[in-house]
Coordinates of all heavy atoms in Angstrom, one line a residue:
Q1 N -36.4 235.7 -216.9 CA -35.5 234.7 -217.4 C -34.2 234.7 -216.3 O -33.7 233.6 -216.1 CB -35.0 234.9 -218.7 CG -36.0 234.3 -219.7 CD -35.3 234.5 -221.1 OE1 -34.5 235.2 -221.4 NE2 -36.0 233.7 -221.9
P2 N -33.8 235.8 -215.9 CA -32.6 235.7 -214.9 C -32.9 234.8 -213.6 O -32.0 234.0 -213.2 CB -32.4 237.1 -214.5 CG -32.8 237.9 -215.6 CD -34.1 237.2 -216.0
D3 N -34.0 235.0 -213.1 CA -34.4 234.0 -212.0 C -34.5 232.5 -212.4 O -34.0 231.6 -211.7 CB -35.8 234.3 -211.6 CG -35.8 235.7 -210.7 OD1 -34.6 236.2 -210.4 OD2 -36.9 236.3 -210.6
Q4 N -34.9 232.2 -213.6 CA -34.8 230.9 -214.2 C -33.6 230.4 -214.4 O -33.3 229.2 -214.0 CB -35.6 230.8 -215.4 CG -36.0 229.4 -215.9 CD -36.9 229.4 -217.0 OE1 -37.0 230.3 -217.9 NE2 -37.7 228.3 -217.3
A5 N -32.7 231.2 -214.8 CA -31.3 230.9 -215.0 C -30.5 230.5 -213.7 O -29.9 229.5 -213.5 CB -30.5 231.9 -215.7
L6 N -30.9 231.3 -212.7 CA -30.3 231.1 -211.4 C -30.8 229.8 -210.8 O -29.9 229.1 -210.2 CB -30.7 232.2 -210.4 CG -29.8 233.4 -210.3 CD1 -30.5 234.5 -209.4 CD2 -28.5 233.1 -209.8
A7 N -32.2 229.5 -211.0 CA -32.6 228.3 -210.5 C -32.0 227.0 -211.1 O -31.7 226.0 -210.4 CB -34.1 228.2 -210.6
V8 N -31.7 227.1 -212.5 CA -31.2 225.9 -213.2 C -29.9 225.8 -212.8 O -29.4 224.7 -212.6 CB -31.4 226.1 -214.8 CG1 -30.6 225.1 -215.5 CG2 -32.7 226.1 -215.0
L9 N -29.1 226.9 -212.8 CA -27.7 226.7 -212.3 C -27.5 226.3 -210.9 O -26.6 225.5 -210.7 CB -27.0 228.2 -212.5 CG -26.6 228.6 -213.9 CD1 -26.3 229.9 -214.0 CD2 -25.5 227.6 -214.5
Q10 N -28.3 226.7 -210.0 CA -28.2 226.2 -208.5 C -28.5 224.9 -208.6 O -27.8 224.1 -207.8 CB -29.2 227.0 -207.8 CG -29.1 226.5 -206.3 CD -27.7 226.9 -205.7 OE1 -27.4 228.0 -205.6 NE2 -27.2 225.8 -205.2
E11 N -29.5 224.3 -209.3 CA -29.9 222.9 -209.4 C -28.6 222.1 -209.8 O -28.2 221.1 -209.4 CB -31.0 222.6 -210.2 CG -31.5 221.3 -210.2 CD -32.8 221.1 -211.0 OE1 -33.6 221.9 -211.1 OE2 -33.1 219.9 -211.4
A12 N -28.0 222.5 -211.0 CA -26.8 221.9 -211.5 C -25.6 221.9 -210.5 O -24.9 220.8 -210.3 CB -26.3 222.7 -212.8
V13 N -25.4 222.9 -209.8 CA -24.3 223.0 -208.8 C -24.7 221.9 -207.7 O -23.9 221.2 -207.3 CB -24.1 224.5 -208.3 CG1 -23.3 224.4 -206.9 CG2 -23.4 225.3 -209.3
T14 N -25.9 221.9 -207.2 CA -26.2 221.1 -206.2 C -26.1 219.7 -206.6 O -25.7 218.8 -205.8 CB -27.7 221.5 -205.7 OG1 -27.9 222.8 -205.3 CG2 -28.3 220.5 -204.6
L15 N -26.6 219.3 -207.9 CA -26.4 217.9 -208.3 C -24.9 217.6 -208.5 O -24.5 216.4 -208.1 CB -27.1 218.0 -209.6 CG -27.6 216.4 -210.1 CD1 -29.0 216.5 -210.3 CD2 -26.9 216.0 -211.3
L16 N -24.2 218.5 -209.0 CA -22.7 218.2 -209.2 C -22.1 218.0 -207.7 O -21.1 217.2 -207.6 CB -22.0 219.2 -210.0 CG -22.3 219.1 -211.4 CD1 -21.9 220.3 -212.2 CD2 -21.6 217.8 -212.1
Q17 N -22.4 218.8 -206.8 CA -21.8 218.7 -205.4 C -22.1 217.3 -204.8 O -21.3 216.8 -204.1 CB -22.4 219.8 -204.7 CG -21.7 221.3 -205.0 CD -22.4 222.3 -204.0 OE1 -21.7 223.3 -203.9 NE2 -23.5 222.2 -203.5
G18 N -23.3 216.7 -205.1 CA -23.6 215.5 -204.6 C -22.9 214.3 -205.4 O -22.9 213.2 -204.7
T19 N -22.5 214.6 -206.6 CA -22.0 213.4 -207.3 C -20.5 213.5 -207.9 O -19.8 212.6 -208.1 CB -22.8 213.2 -208.7 OG1 -22.8 214.4 -209.4 CG2 -24.2 212.9 -208.3
A20 N -19.9 214.8 -207.9 CA -18.5 215.0 -208.5 C -17.7 215.4 -207.3 O -18.0 215.8 -206.2 CB -18.6 216.2 -209.4
R21 N -16.3 215.1 -207.6 CA -15.3 215.4 -206.5 C -15.2 217.1 -206.5 O -15.6 217.7 -207.5 CB -14.0 214.8 -207.0 CG -14.0 213.4 -207.0 CD -12.7 212.7 -207.3 NE -11.7 213.7 -207.5 CZ -10.4 213.3 -208.0 NH1 -10.0 212.1 -208.1 NH2 -9.5 214.3 -208.3
G22 N -14.7 217.6 -205.5 CA -14.6 218.9 -205.3 C -13.7 219.6 -206.4 O -13.9 220.7 -206.7
D23 N -12.7 218.8 -206.9 CA -11.8 219.4 -208.0 C -12.3 219.1 -209.4 O -11.6 219.3 -210.3 CB -10.4 218.9 -207.8 CG -10.4 217.3 -208.0 OD1 -11.4 216.7 -208.0 OD2 -9.2 216.8 -208.0
D24 N -13.5 218.8 -209.6 CA -14.1 218.4 -210.9 C -14.3 219.8 -211.7 O -14.9 220.6 -211.2 CB -15.4 217.7 -210.7 CG -15.9 217.3 -212.1 OD1 -16.1 218.0 -213.0 OD2 -16.1 215.9 -212.1
P25 N -13.6 219.9 -212.9 CA -13.8 221.0 -213.7 C -15.3 221.4 -214.0 O -15.6 222.6 -214.0 CB -13.0 220.7 -215.0 CG -12.1 219.6 -214.6 CD -12.8 218.8 -213.5
A26 N -16.1 220.4 -214.1 CA -17.6 220.8 -214.4 C -18.2 221.4 -213.2 O -18.9 222.3 -213.5 CB -18.3 219.5 -214.8
L27 N -17.9 220.9 -212.1 CA -18.4 221.6 -210.8 C -17.8 223.1 -210.8 O -18.6 224.0 -210.4 CB -18.0 220.9 -209.6 CG -18.4 221.4 -208.3 CD1 -19.9 221.8 -208.2 CD2 -17.9 220.5 -207.1
G28 N -16.5 223.3 -211.0 CA -16.0 224.5 -210.9 C -16.6 225.5 -212.0 O -17.0 226.6 -211.7
A29 N -16.8 225.0 -213.1 CA -17.4 225.8 -214.3 C -19.0 226.2 -213.9 O -19.3 227.4 -214.1 CB -17.4 225.1 -215.6
A30 N -19.6 225.2 -213.3 CA -21.0 225.4 -212.9 C -21.1 226.6 -211.8 O -21.9 227.5 -211.7 CB -21.7 224.2 -212.4
R31 N -20.2 226.3 -210.8 CA -20.0 227.4 -209.7 C -19.7 228.8 -210.2 O -20.3 229.9 -209.8 CB -19.0 227.0 -208.6 CG -19.4 225.9 -207.8 CD -18.3 225.5 -206.9 NE -18.8 224.5 -205.9 CZ -18.1 223.8 -205.0 NH1 -16.9 223.7 -205.2 NH2 -18.7 222.8 -204.3
V32 N -18.8 228.8 -211.2 CA -18.5 230.2 -211.6 C -19.5 230.8 -212.5 O -19.8 232.1 -212.2 CB -17.3 230.1 -212.7 CG1 -17.0 231.4 -213.5 CG2 -15.9 229.8 -211.7
E33 N -20.4 230.1 -213.3 CA -21.4 230.5 -214.0 C -22.5 231.0 -212.9 O -23.1 232.1 -213.2 CB -21.9 229.6 -215.0 CG -22.9 230.3 -215.9 CD -22.4 231.5 -216.6 OE1 -21.2 231.5 -217.1 OE2 -23.1 232.5 -216.8
L34 N -22.8 230.4 -211.9 CA -23.8 230.7 -211.0 C -23.2 232.0 -210.3 O -24.1 232.8 -209.9 CB -23.9 229.6 -209.9 CG -24.9 229.8 -208.8 CD1 -26.3 230.1 -209.4 CD2 -25.1 228.6 -208.1
A35 N -22.0 232.0 -210.0 CA -21.3 233.3 -209.4 C -21.7 234.5 -210.4 O -22.0 235.5 -209.9 CB -20.0 233.1 -209.1
R36 N -21.4 234.3 -211.5 CA -21.8 235.3 -212.5 C -23.0 235.9 -212.5 O -23.4 237.1 -212.5 CB -21.2 235.0 -213.9 CG -19.8 234.9 -214.2 CD -19.6 234.4 -215.6 NE -18.1 234.5 -215.9 CZ -17.6 233.6 -216.8 NH1 -18.2 232.9 -217.4 NH2 -16.2 233.7 -217.0
Q37 N -24.0 234.9 -212.5 CA -25.5 235.3 -212.3 C -25.8 236.0 -211.1 O -26.6 236.9 -211.1 CB -26.2 234.0 -212.6 CG -26.2 233.4 -214.0 CD -26.6 234.3 -215.1 OE1 -27.7 235.0 -215.0 NE2 -25.9 234.4 -216.1
H38 N -25.3 235.5 -210.1 CA -25.6 236.1 -208.8 C -24.9 237.6 -208.7 O -25.4 238.6 -208.2 CB -25.0 235.4 -207.5 CG -25.8 234.3 -207.2 ND1 -27.0 234.5 -206.6 CD2 -25.6 233.0 -207.1 CE1 -27.6 233.4 -206.2 NE2 -26.7 232.4 -206.6
L39 N -23.7 237.7 -209.3 CA -23.1 239.1 -209.5 C -24.0 240.0 -210.3 O -24.2 241.2 -209.9 CB -21.9 238.9 -210.1 CG -21.0 240.1 -210.0 CD1 -20.7 240.9 -208.7 CD2 -19.5 239.9 -210.7
L40 N -24.6 239.5 -211.3 CA -25.4 240.4 -212.2 C -26.7 240.9 -211.5 O -27.3 241.8 -211.9 CB -25.9 239.6 -213.6 CG -24.7 239.4 -214.5 CD1 -25.1 238.5 -215.6 CD2 -24.1 240.7 -215.1
E41 N -27.1 240.0 -210.6 CA -28.3 240.2 -209.8 C -28.2 241.6 -209.1 O -29.1 242.4 -209.0 CB -28.4 239.2 -208.7 CG -29.7 239.0 -208.1 CD -29.5 237.8 -207.2 OE1 -29.5 236.6 -207.6 OE2 -29.4 238.2 -205.9
G42 N -27.0 241.9 -208.7 CA -26.7 243.3 -208.2 C -27.0 243.5 -206.7 O -26.6 244.6 -206.2
S43 N -27.6 242.4 -206.1 CA -28.1 242.6 -204.6 C -26.8 242.3 -203.8 O -25.9 241.8 -204.2 CB -29.3 241.7 -204.3 OG -28.8 240.3 -204.4
T44 N -27.0 242.8 -202.4 CA -25.8 242.4 -201.5 C -25.9 240.9 -201.3 O -24.7 240.4 -201.2 CB -26.2 243.1 -200.1 OG1 -26.2 244.5 -200.5 CG2 -25.1 242.8 -199.1
A45 N -27.1 240.3 -201.2 CA -26.9 238.8 -201.0 C -26.3 238.1 -202.2 O -25.6 237.2 -202.1 CB -28.4 238.4 -200.8
G46 N -26.7 238.7 -203.5 CA -26.1 238.1 -204.7 C -24.6 238.1 -204.7 O -23.9 237.3 -205.1
R47 N -24.2 239.3 -204.3 CA -22.6 239.5 -204.3 C -22.0 238.7 -203.3 O -21.0 238.2 -203.5 CB -22.4 241.1 -203.9 CG -22.7 242.0 -205.1 CD -22.6 243.4 -204.6 NE -21.2 243.8 -204.3 CZ -20.3 244.0 -205.2 NH1 -20.5 244.1 -206.6 NH2 -19.0 244.3 -204.9
E48 N -22.6 238.5 -202.0 CA -22.0 237.6 -201.1 C -21.9 236.2 -201.6 O -21.0 235.3 -201.4 CB -22.9 237.7 -199.8 CG -22.6 239.0 -199.0 CD -23.6 239.1 -197.8 OE1 -24.4 238.2 -197.5 OE2 -23.5 240.2 -197.3
R49 N -23.0 235.8 -202.3 CA -23.1 234.3 -203.0 C -22.1 234.2 -204.0 O -21.3 233.1 -204.1 CB -24.5 234.0 -203.3 CG -24.7 232.7 -203.8 CD -24.8 231.7 -202.6 NE -25.0 230.5 -203.1 CZ -24.2 229.3 -202.9 NH1 -23.2 229.4 -202.1 NH2 -24.5 228.2 -203.3
A50 N -21.9 235.2 -204.8 CA -20.8 235.2 -205.9 C -19.5 235.1 -205.2 O -18.6 234.3 -205.7 CB -20.8 236.6 -206.7
T51 N -19.3 235.8 -204.2 CA -17.9 235.7 -203.4 C -17.7 234.3 -203.0 O -16.5 233.7 -203.2 CB -17.9 236.7 -202.3 OG1 -18.0 238.0 -202.9 CG2 -16.6 236.6 -201.4
T52 N -18.7 233.7 -202.3 CA -18.5 232.4 -201.8 C -18.2 231.3 -202.9 O -17.3 230.5 -202.6 CB -19.7 232.0 -200.9 OG1 -20.0 232.9 -200.0 CG2 -19.8 230.6 -200.4
L53 N -19.0 231.5 -204.0 CA -18.8 230.5 -205.1 C -17.5 230.7 -205.7 O -16.7 229.6 -206.1 CB -20.0 230.7 -206.2 CG -21.3 230.2 -205.7 CD1 -22.4 230.9 -206.5 CD2 -21.5 228.7 -205.7
A54 N -17.0 231.8 -206.0 CA -15.6 232.0 -206.6 C -14.6 231.6 -205.6 O -13.6 230.9 -206.1 CB -15.5 233.5 -206.8
Q55 N -14.7 231.6 -204.3 CA -13.7 231.2 -203.3 C -13.8 229.7 -203.4 O -12.7 229.1 -203.3 CB -14.1 231.7 -202.0 CG -13.7 233.2 -201.8 CD -14.1 233.8 -200.5 OE1 -15.1 233.2 -199.8 NE2 -13.7 234.9 -200.0
Q56 N -14.8 229.1 -203.5 CA -15.0 227.6 -203.5 C -14.2 227.0 -204.7 O -13.5 226.1 -204.6 CB -16.4 227.1 -203.6 CG -17.2 227.2 -202.3 CD -18.5 226.8 -202.3 OE1 -19.3 226.9 -203.4 NE2 -19.1 226.6 -201.2
V57 N -14.3 227.8 -205.9 CA -13.7 227.3 -207.1 C -12.1 227.5 -206.9 O -11.4 226.4 -207.2 CB -14.1 228.1 -208.3 CG1 -13.2 227.8 -209.6 CG2 -15.5 227.8 -208.6
L58 N -11.7 228.4 -206.4 CA -10.3 228.7 -206.2 C -9.6 227.8 -205.2 O -8.6 227.4 -205.3 CB -10.0 230.2 -205.9 CG -10.3 231.3 -206.9 CD1 -10.2 232.6 -206.3 CD2 -9.4 230.9 -208.1
A59 N -10.4 227.5 -204.2 CA -10.0 226.6 -203.1 C -10.1 225.1 -203.5 O -9.1 224.3 -203.0 CB -10.8 226.7 -201.9
T60 N -10.9 224.6 -204.4 CA -11.0 223.2 -204.6 C -10.7 222.8 -206.1 O -10.3 221.6 -206.2 CB -12.5 222.8 -204.3 OG1 -13.4 223.4 -205.2 CG2 -12.9 223.0 -202.9
C61 N -10.8 223.6 -207.0 CA -10.5 223.2 -208.4 C -9.1 223.6 -208.7 O -8.9 224.8 -209.0 CB -11.5 224.0 -209.2 SG -11.7 223.2 -211.0
T62 N -8.2 222.6 -208.5 CA -6.8 223.0 -208.6 C -6.0 222.3 -209.7 O -4.9 222.7 -210.0 CB -6.1 222.6 -207.2 OG1 -6.3 221.2 -206.9 CG2 -6.6 223.4 -206.0
G63 N -6.6 221.3 -210.4 CA -5.9 220.8 -211.6 C -5.7 221.4 -212.6 O -6.3 222.6 -212.8
S64 N -5.0 221.0 -213.7 CA -4.7 221.8 -215.0 C -6.0 221.9 -215.8 O -6.2 222.9 -216.5 CB -3.7 221.2 -215.8 OG -4.0 219.7 -216.1
A65 N -6.9 220.9 -215.5 CA -8.2 221.1 -216.2 C -9.1 222.1 -215.7 O -10.1 222.6 -216.3 CB -9.0 219.7 -216.1
C66 N -8.7 222.8 -214.6 CA -9.5 223.9 -213.8 C -8.9 225.2 -214.3 O -9.4 226.2 -213.7 CB -9.4 223.6 -212.4 SG -10.4 222.3 -211.8
T67 N -8.0 225.3 -215.1 CA -7.4 226.6 -215.4 C -8.4 227.6 -215.8 O -8.4 228.8 -215.2 CB -6.2 226.5 -216.4 OG1 -5.2 225.4 -216.0 CG2 -5.6 227.8 -216.8
A68 N -9.3 227.3 -216.7 CA -10.2 228.2 -217.2 C -11.2 228.6 -216.1 O -11.6 229.8 -216.0 CB -11.0 227.7 -218.4
G69 N -11.6 227.6 -215.3 CA -12.5 227.8 -214.3 C -11.9 228.8 -213.1 O -12.6 229.7 -212.6
R70 N -10.7 228.6 -212.8 CA -9.9 229.4 -211.8 C -9.8 230.9 -212.3 O -10.0 231.8 -211.6 CB -8.6 228.9 -211.6 CG -8.6 227.5 -210.7 CD -7.4 227.0 -210.5 NE -6.5 227.8 -209.6 CZ -6.7 228.0 -208.4 NH1 -7.6 227.4 -207.6 NH2 -5.9 228.9 -207.7
A71 N -9.5 231.0 -213.6 CA -9.3 232.2 -214.3 C -10.6 233.0 -214.2 O -10.7 234.3 -213.9 CB -8.9 232.1 -215.7
A72 N -11.7 232.3 -214.5 CA -13.1 232.9 -214.5 C -13.6 233.3 -213.0 O -14.0 234.4 -212.8 CB -14.2 232.0 -215.0
A73 N -13.0 232.5 -212.0 CA -13.4 232.8 -210.6 C -12.5 234.0 -210.2 O -13.1 234.9 -209.5 CB -13.0 231.7 -209.8
Q74 N -11.4 234.2 -210.7 CA -10.6 235.3 -210.5 C -11.2 236.7 -211.1 O -11.2 237.7 -210.3 CB -9.2 235.3 -210.8 CG -8.5 234.3 -209.9 CD -7.0 233.8 -210.5 OE1 -6.7 233.9 -211.8 NE2 -6.2 233.3 -209.7
Q75 N -11.8 236.5 -212.1 CA -12.5 237.5 -212.9 C -13.7 238.0 -212.0 O -14.0 239.1 -211.9 CB -13.0 237.2 -214.3 CG -11.9 237.2 -215.3 CD -12.3 236.7 -216.6 OE1 -13.4 236.1 -216.7 NE2 -11.5 237.1 -217.6
V76 N -14.3 237.0 -211.4 CA -15.6 237.4 -210.7 C -15.1 238.1 -209.4 O -15.7 239.1 -209.0 CB -16.3 236.1 -210.3 CG1 -17.3 236.4 -209.1 CG2 -17.0 235.4 -211.5
Q77 N -14.0 237.7 -208.8 CA -13.5 238.4 -207.6 C -13.0 239.8 -207.9 O -13.5 240.7 -207.2 CB -12.4 237.5 -207.0 CG -12.7 236.3 -206.2 CD -11.7 235.7 -205.6 OE1 -10.6 235.6 -205.9 NE2 -12.1 235.1 -204.3
Q78 N -12.4 240.0 -209.0 CA -12.0 241.3 -209.5 C -13.2 242.2 -209.6 O -13.1 243.3 -209.4 CB -11.0 241.2 -210.6 CG -10.4 242.5 -211.0 CD -9.3 242.4 -212.0 OE1 -9.1 241.3 -212.6 NE2 -8.4 243.3 -212.1
A79 N -14.2 241.6 -210.4 CA -15.4 242.5 -210.7 C -16.0 242.8 -209.3 O -16.7 244.0 -209.2 CB -16.4 241.6 -211.5
L80 N -16.1 241.9 -208.3 CA -16.6 242.3 -207.1 C -15.8 243.4 -206.4 O -16.5 244.2 -205.8 CB -16.6 241.0 -206.2 CG -17.6 239.9 -206.5 CD1 -17.4 238.6 -206.0 CD2 -19.0 240.4 -206.0
Q81 N -14.5 243.4 -206.5 CA -13.8 244.4 -206.0 C -14.0 245.7 -206.6 O -14.0 246.8 -206.0 CB -12.2 244.0 -206.0 CG -11.9 242.9 -205.0 CD -10.5 242.4 -205.2 OE1 -9.8 242.9 -206.1 NE2 -10.1 241.4 -204.6
N82 N -14.2 245.7 -207.9 CA -14.4 246.8 -208.7 C -15.8 247.3 -208.9 O -16.1 248.3 -209.5 CB -13.8 246.8 -210.1 CG -12.4 246.4 -210.2 OD1 -11.6 246.9 -209.3 ND2 -11.9 245.8 -211.1
S83 N -16.6 246.5 -208.3 CA -18.2 246.7 -208.3 C -18.7 246.7 -209.8 O -19.5 247.6 -210.1 CB -18.5 247.9 -207.5 OG -18.2 247.8 -206.3
Q84 N -18.1 245.8 -210.5 CA -18.7 245.8 -212.0 C -19.2 244.4 -212.3 O -18.6 243.4 -211.9 CB -17.5 246.1 -212.9 CG -17.0 247.6 -212.7 CD -15.7 247.8 -213.6 OE1 -15.3 246.9 -214.4 NE2 -15.2 248.9 -213.5
P85 N -20.2 244.3 -213.2 CA -20.7 243.0 -213.6 C -19.6 242.3 -214.6 O -18.7 242.9 -215.1 CB -21.9 243.2 -214.5 CG -21.9 244.7 -214.7 CD -20.9 245.4 -213.8
V86 N -19.6 241.0 -214.6 CA -18.7 240.2 -215.3 C -19.5 239.6 -216.5 O -20.7 239.2 -216.3 CB -18.1 238.8 -214.4 CG1 -17.3 238.0 -215.3 CG2 -17.4 239.5 -213.3
R87 N -18.9 239.5 -217.7 CA -19.5 239.0 -218.9 C -19.1 237.6 -219.1 O -18.0 237.2 -218.8 CB -19.2 239.9 -219.9 CG -19.8 241.1 -219.9 CD -19.4 242.0 -221.1 NE -19.8 243.4 -220.7 CZ -20.6 244.0 -221.6 NH1 -21.3 243.4 -222.6 NH2 -21.0 245.2 -221.3

């Protein structure tokens, strides 16, 4: 199931990237959830992808509607630094 979740989340992010603005909270939320899934994967590639996604959220999702997404992206970054999975 984790592979299936990754595939569905990746599809959602890809779709939103093509239709939503970069600062769209839904895009930020999808990126954060995909980052969490990649982090849970535990691989080096997964950690790198999680880092990239969290950085994208922090760089592009800047409005007040993005507060939760930004906080979640910061949690992902902190977990990456501490080498711990994020819930």
